[in-house]
Each structure stands twice: as C-alpha cells, then as structure tokens.
Amino acid sequence: MNTTCDVAIVGGGPAGLGAALELSKLGLRRVVVLERFGEAGGIPRHCGHPPFGMREFKRVLSGPAYARRLVQAAEDAGVEIRTDTTVTAIRPGGVLELATTAGAQTLTARRVLIATGNRERTRAQLLAPGVRPVGVMNTGALQSMVYLEGKRPFSRPVIVGTEIVALSALLTCRRHGIKPVAMVETRDRPQTRRIDMMLARLMGVPVLAGAEILAIEGRPRVEALRLRHKGEERRLDCDGIVFSGRFTPEATVARQSDLALDAGTLGPEIDADGRSSDPQVFVAGNVLHPVETAGHCWAEGRRAAQTIFRDLRKTPKLGAGARIVPGAGLRYVVPQRLGAGSAATLNIRTDGAVRGRVVLSDASGRELAARSVRSYPEQPVRLPVPALDSAALAGDLTLRLDRKD
C-alpha cells in the first residue's frame, strides 16, 4: 500500500505536532504525523507535573494535559496522526518505509520532517557496575510506570544524575509519596542551575556530587547503592535506582536512511534551514540537541514548518554552505553548516561550566560573531550569526571558546 502527502512528520512529540499545526495554518491540507507509540504527545505524556504550556497555550499545564492539547490542536486543524506506525527508513525521493499493525506500507511525501526526539541512556551505556536487581530504571520508565500504569515501583530510591530531568524525577516521586534517599552525580558539580537544585534541598534530599558508583547491591530487588564520595566509601540503603539524563538522540531512522550524522550530537547533521544531507528531509527538536524543553522544541518545529512551506515552492536542492568546526571545550554546535543569505542562531553546548567568550571565525581568522558566556553544565548557549557573505563561506568556519580564569 502506497499513499502520498505534502509533508510527512516522523515523531508526534512537541516538535512534530508544533510543525504539523503550523503547516496546517499555512494552508497545507495533506500533513501526516507518524507516531510509533499508541498515543501521540511525546515525553510530556509521562510527566504528570507542571510546568508545561506557557509558551504554547499561555497557561501552566501538567505534561499529560499539555500533550493532549497539542494532539487536539493538530487534529482540529485537520492533521492526520497515525499511531502505532514506525518509520523504518526514508529513501531518496521522500519515500518512507513503514511498519504498521496492518503490515508493511510506504508513504511518499514532498518533504519529510524528522522529529523523533531523544532518550536517556541505559544503565549498560553508562557502564554502571553491580548486579541487575529489580528496581533499576531510567526516568522515562519511572514516569511511565507511575503515570501510565498507576504503579509505585519503590519507596526509597537513589536518583543518579542532576540534569533537569532528574528534577522531573524528584517531582514525580514527591507526587506519589516516594522519598528519595539521595541524588548522586558522578561529575564534580550538579549539571543544572543552583536555583533549580534548591528543589532537592527543599525536599530534604542530599546531593552527592563527584561520586563514583562502585556497585548496585541486592537480589532479587535493589537493597543498596555502594559508592565512593570525597575519598570515603559509602553504602546508601535504598530499594530502587533511577538513572536520569545523559540523553542521546533517537536517531535510528536517520542512521537507517543513510543521513549524515554529527559526531558531537550523534544526531543528523543540518544546515541553518534544518535541512539534512537529503534535500527533501528536514530535522527539528531534540533529535538534534539533547536536551531542550518541550516549549523550545515546539517553537523549533514551527520554524521548521515555515521553512518547509517556503521550500515546497522550489525543486529540492542540497544547500551549499560552510561547515562549522567546534574547537576545544565545545561539545557540539547545531546547525553544523551555514549558507549565504540569511542570519542564523547557533545552539552550542560546552564541556561543563565555563566562563569566557565563544567566537565564530572564517578561514582567514576574521571574527563573524561572538558573545560572552557564563554557563552552567548542560546550559544551551545561543550565538546569533548575521547573514554571511561569500568570502566568509570560502572555507570551514571555526567556533572556539576563549576561557577566562
């Protein structure tokens, strides 16, 4: 079975639904969202706490309420949402291969938007030592069990990680009478703002930064987490472990479609318009930059939709441009290529907390854009770049970090 549409959107989270709604508002009537799960809405479906929706709906919502409103808005606008549909590959010419409950299908689209988001790394990927007892999970699994299945998997867990998603895990625990024993961070300081980490203090949860995980103990259930902190070995009695953060892009369909990937993000490589190495395929949301808020991804999806709408009037063509090469102290930059004619904003991540200046230069060493930065770990750093001339794009662009002591 082969069907056609104007735009196929892979992923029904905030970025994908934001793009679908915007495309419909712009006048497209054949927009299809392909969602692999049985319900669209993305990660917010699992987050039963606020705040969601201020940017989109001008009110504070819980995650599930926010997800429902996104879906309802898209459906009311005439967007077709196909759930239980997995895109296994995107072939040249905008041909999507689908695995559905009705069998294998294909869908041909004039343009494709990948908005598959990201996921937390597994315990195996984090190389956590010890046995594998019941009660070890990531934040997504915790929230799915609590909010979708109505289960309470433990009462006194340890939360490993201090990124913003770890605070989501704290709020989930609080709402369901679960009292975390501690938050453990293997890096030398918490990975989000000090003001955000006040939540742990208010809940009476100690934060142990710079800790080394030695072993998870217990059989068949978790009984303790053994670690080394400040040179001393400690044993935290607990009945669960939540591994939070350390996100990685959900880029399976991009890899299977032979799209160029970026070594820094592990997601698809794009230009300033969000175009991938396939000229008919665009990318938006957390598959590009793990991890941003739902509101940011929704806005990015809308911007991608506007670009796609304009692009539909043209013959698909891979944009020319100069590659951006990030230097020491910079984990990644999105987009990875810049072309002539329009301004752009770079989304940058540094290695840890930094104070200094980020500078974009052309091959001759001429500074094209710069800004001071004083960031906490995992903070998005935005660098506005003006429209560049052909001389600036004659070779690779260099992005560097000048640190201040």
Side-chain angles (χ1 to χ4, degrees):
M1 176 180 177
N2 182 30
T3 55
T4 62
C5 65
D6 289 317
V7 180
I9 299 173
V10 187
L17 292 172
L21 181 58
E22 185 69 13
L23 287 166
S24 181
K25 288 180 177 179
L26 290 169
L28 289 187
R29 289 292 171 259
R30 295 189 302 162
V31 179
V32 178
V33 174
L34 305 166
E35 170 57 54
R36 63 175 177 164
F37 293 110
E39 184 178 347
I43 288 177
R45 292 188 304 115
H46 306 163
C47 302
H49 56 76
F52 291 88
M54 283 297 294
R55 188 188 307 222
E56 304 87 328
F57 303 114
K58 305 299 185 287
R59 60 182 298 180
V60 177
L61 300 168
S62 69
Y66 168 76
R68 287 193 296 271
R69 287 198 62 163
L70 287 178
V71 172
Q72 191 64 55
E75 290 179 337
D76 288 348
V79 174
E80 179 185 353
I81 300 177
R82 300 185 190 178
T83 56
D84 293 317
T85 300
T86 299
V87 179
T88 57
I90 304 168
R91 301 305 179 198
V95 179
L96 294 86
E97 298 179 357
L98 313 178
T100 76
T101 53
Q105 299 178 7
T106 59
L107 172 66
T108 301
R110 295 170 63 197
R111 298 293 186 275
V112 178
L113 176 66
I114 296 177
T116 46
N118 57 24
R119 54 183 168 79
E120 290 175 288
R121 297 183 186 182
T122 65
R123 175 189 166 192
Q125 289 172 313
L126 295 173
L127 301 178
V131 294
R132 298 180 179 273
V134 176
V136 178
M137 63 190 66
N138 62 21
T139 311
L142 166 65
Q143 293 176 331
S144 179
M145 291 183 71
V146 168
Y147 294 120
L148 301 185
E149 301 176 32
K151 297 178 180 178
R152 190 168 177 263
F154 36 57
S155 58
R156 300 179 68 252
V158 170
I159 297 174
V160 178
T162 54
E163 296 175 34
I164 195 72
V165 69
L167 304 182
S168 180
L170 272 181
L171 288 171
T172 297
C173 289
R174 182 183 181 185
R175 285 176 61 90
H176 292 82
I178 300 170
K179 298 181 179 180
V181 173
M183 296 183 75
V184 171
E185 175 57 62
T186 58
R187 290 165 286 195
D188 60 0
R189 59 156 288 175
Q191 299 298 292
T192 190
R193 298 179 300 177
R194 288 186 174 87
I195 191 170
D196 293 328
M197 292 306 298
M198 286 292 293
L199 176 64
R201 180 178 296 180
L202 292 172
M203 291 178 60
V205 179
V207 179
L208 308 178
E212 177 189 0
I213 296 176
L214 300 178
I216 297 171
E217 299 179 350
R219 197 183 302 272
R221 290 197 58 87
V222 173
E223 296 177 3
L225 177 67
R226 193 156 49 83
L227 53 81
R228 184 176 290 109
H229 183 241
K230 294 184 177 179
E232 296 183 1
E233 189 171 318
R234 298 182 59 176
R235 186 177 188 272
L236 301 178
D237 292 330
C238 58
D239 61 355
I241 309 288
V242 179
F243 285 97
S244 68
R246 306 293 179 96
F247 283 93
T248 189
E250 185 55 81
T252 302
V253 69
R255 286 194 296 272
Q256 292 175 336
S257 306
D258 294 325
L259 299 183
L261 302 181
D262 178 62
T265 65
L266 304 181
E269 180 183 292
I270 62 166
D271 65 13
D273 288 330
R275 193 189 305 270
S276 74
S277 56
D278 182 326
Q280 287 180 250
V281 179
F282 293 75
V283 193
N286 276 332
V287 68
L288 291 173
H289 40 60
V291 62
E292 298 275 5
T293 63
H296 179 92
C297 292
W298 173 83
E300 189 170 286
R302 290 187 62 203
R303 290 193 296 272
Q306 293 161 8
T307 300
I308 290 170
F309 183 76
R310 293 191 298 270
D311 197 68
L312 282 167
R313 303 173 186 176
K314 310 173 185 176
T315 300
K317 182 179 180 182
L318 185 62
R323 185 176 298 277
I324 304 173
V325 181
L330 300 174
R331 280 171 48 202
Y332 65 76
V333 58
V334 178
Q336 293 83 17
R337 301 190 308 272
L338 290 180
S342 60
T345 297
L346 304 184
N347 187 337
I348 303 164
R349 289 296 194 287
T350 62
D351 282 327
V354 300
R355 181 170 176 263
R357 189 166 174 261
V358 289
V359 181
L360 181 71
S361 304
D362 64 14
S364 70
R366 176 172 56 127
E367 289 192 5
L368 306 173
R371 62 158 290 186
S372 297
V373 57
R374 186 170 186 172
S375 69
Y376 57 85
E378 300 300 327
Q379 178 181 354
V381 175
R382 319 282 187 206
L383 177 62
V385 180
L388 301 180
D389 56 30
S390 56
L393 301 172
D396 287 346
L397 305 176
T398 299
L399 185 68
R400 74 174 190 271
L401 171 65
D402 296 335
R403 291 181 180 268
K404 290 185 179 179
D405 295 331

